[in-house]
Amino acid sequence: MLNHARTEYPRECVGAVIGSGGDSAKNRLIRLSNVQDKMHEDDPGRFYRDAKTGYFVDPKEVFKLVREVESQGLKILAFYHSHPDHECFFSREDHDAAVMWDEPVYPGVEYIVISVMDGEVKDAVMFSWDGNTYSPSEKLPV
């Protein structure tokens, strides 16, 4: 995740961690494509931010990920994305993407935000559902 965040800087990276929920050594990282720049170019009124301050994953890519995980008897453990030149926080946009009708879109899934300042990872924070919203639950080692 940290390497992905550094590599994509100054754009936001986005990805998922999948596994069985047991042995963390068997977890896999899946890099997802941030198509925010294309969406911004095609429809700047609706997608007013570019990839330096936002991400958008093609829904077809997410559906493919979900099918792959289910077919292998695994689950999505976490989604992650970076905040280039910003601190770790769960933004309004992050919340809106993760919550629908006041419930998590993916129950039990954690969200990780990685702060990248001047191309170097500064912090990584995990956000967990607290019954009302996603709150910081753990600072991850960087």
Side-chain angles (χ1 to χ4, degrees), residues 64-79:
K64 180 182 174 190
L65 170 69
V66 170
R67 279 195 311 270
E68 176 185 336
V69 166
E70 289 175 350
S71 72
Q72 295 176 16
L74 302 173
K75 56 186 171 182
I76 299 170
L77 303 173
F79 285 108

Side-chain angles (χ1 to χ4, degrees), residues 35-105:
V35 297
Q36 183 75 26
D37 282 336
K38 176 161 181 18
M39 302 305 287
H40 175 70
E41 182 181 311
D42 292 349
D43 189 353
R46 183 171 172 219
F47 295 91
Y48 59 92
R49 298 183 314 157
D50 64 16
K52 291 180 182 178
T53 59
Y55 72 87
F56 186 83
V57 180
D58 184 329
K60 292 176 188 172
E61 193 173 4
V62 176
F63 293 139
K64 180 182 174 190
L65 170 69
V66 170
R67 279 195 311 270
E68 176 185 336
V69 166
E70 289 175 350
S71 72
Q72 295 176 16
L74 302 173
K75 56 186 171 182
I76 299 170
L77 303 173
F79 285 108
Y80 69 89
H81 72 280
S82 61
H83 281 182
D85 297 319
H86 289 88
E87 300 295 329
C88 295
F89 62 97
F90 208 69
S91 71
R92 183 82 211 144
E93 289 83 3
D94 297 336
H95 179 272
D96 291 348
V99 176
M100 186 178 295
W101 299 298
D102 297 324
E103 293 293 331
V105 174

